[in-house]
Amino acid sequence: MNKTFKKLTALFASLLLAAGITACNDKNDAQSANADATKASALERIKREDKIRIGVFSDKPPFGYVDKDGKNQGFDVEIAKALTKDLLGDENKVEFVLVEAANRAEYLLSNKVDITLANFTVTPARQEVVDFAKPYMKVALGVVSKDGAVITDVKQLEGKTLLVNKGTTADAYFSKNFPQIKLLKFEQNTETFEALRDGRGDALAHDNALLFAWVKENPGFTVGIKELGDIDFIAGAVRKEDKDLLEWLNAETEKLGKEGVLQQAYDKVLAPIYGDSIKASDIVVEYK
């Protein structure tokens, strides 16, 4: 009986060991499959899924916004459609993902988007987190304020409240260079500009290209400081591991410039707003 018991115990132990080995192998196989999926080419995955996810703004006209019919519109959106058409053959195969200034990099890192085209200014700090493609737009900071109390010099902001969006170049610029100026920060553009309208701030700092368009639609306000800091560039961004997608986006951006697609997007979206006050060459990066 003892011998039988010992044999059964040994058999049971062997079965448990075999099951454990199988489970470990299954787990390792699953982990390997996940690792292989992660390592897969971003371009191959996008083509296989026949869809590309592009992050754009919902509240930053004329660059990225949702119209009254719920459709995405704007300069960035036109570029996104052109990219999608060249990659997948149909501009409607883009899935627009709405982002805010503070979460543009986060949405890339968490794989919620493939490309961010949300007026994303290239900065050294952001380059440590994501990879930027060749630029399609030029921009500097500007400051807008109410008529009758127009801010024309940064020194006039001392003792006053300046409105900015969290995570923007305006936020970073004033926090670093003018810490004595009081900043009131908001997540969304709509909130920031509404605070300017109702007097919660004395002025608002943002990309000058946006401010030039905004004052055209909002009488009673003036861009008193038209250019502040360095001339920066706006570009599409991807995850650092998506090298093939970055390479494609670099070539594609240059192609859109050379073929006049960037100019066409400007003529369609921005020229009717800017009129003769702004030239396309002031905004659009030229590729020859």
Side-chain angles (χ1 to χ4, degrees), residues 1 37 50 57-58 75 92 94 113-114 118 121 187 193 202 211 248 274 285:
M1 185 171 180
D50 205 26
F57 279 127
S58 65
F75 184 67
N92 295 309
V94 59
V113 298
D114 302 304
T121 305
E187 295 283 353
F193 282 96
D202 299 285
L211 298 183
W248 175 83
Y274 289 146
V285 175

Side-chain angles (χ1 to χ4, degrees), residues 223-273:
V223 182
I225 301 178
K226 293 181 170 59
E227 189 174 303
L228 189 64
D230 298 328
I231 298 293
D232 291 316
F233 292 95
I234 286 174
V238 301
R239 284 177 292 278
K240 283 191 170 292
E241 59 265 32
D242 292 344
K243 299 300 182 184
D244 62 325
L245 185 57
L246 176 65
E247 184 177 348
W248 175 83
L249 187 55
N250 275 328
E252 181 67 13
T253 303
E254 185 172 346
K255 175 176 176 286
L256 294 181
K258 289 180 176 180
E259 293 181 352
V261 177
L262 298 182
Q263 178 69 47
Q264 291 168 15
Y266 178 90
D267 292 341
K268 177 180 178 180
V269 179
L270 301 181
I273 296 173

Side-chain angles (χ1 to χ4, degrees), residues 274-287:
Y274 289 146
D276 297 331
S277 61
I278 303 293
K279 296 182 294 183
S281 58
D282 294 332
I283 301 293
V284 179
V285 175
E286 295 180 327
Y287 291 97

Side-chain angles (χ1 to χ4, degrees), residues 38 45 53 55 97 99 102-116 120 125-132 237-242 245:
T38 301
R45 175 181 53 76
R53 303 163 300 163
V97 179
V99 301
N103 66 20
R104 286 172 292 188
E106 175 192 330
Y107 268 46
L108 277 171
L109 298 180
S110 59
N111 198 30
K112 293 179 181 178
V113 298
D114 302 304
I115 298 173
T116 293
F120 212 1
R126 290 170 179 168
Q127 286 176 310
E128 293 181 4
V129 180
V130 300
D131 277 345
F132 286 93
V238 301
R239 284 177 292 278
K240 283 191 170 292
E241 59 265 32
D242 292 344
L245 185 57

Side-chain angles (χ1 to χ4, degrees), residues 25 31 39 43 83 197-198 212 221:
N25 286 338
Q31 289 175 340
K39 293 177 182 177
L43 274 177
L83 293 175
R197 288 192 188 95
D198 65 26
F212 294 147
F221 294 89

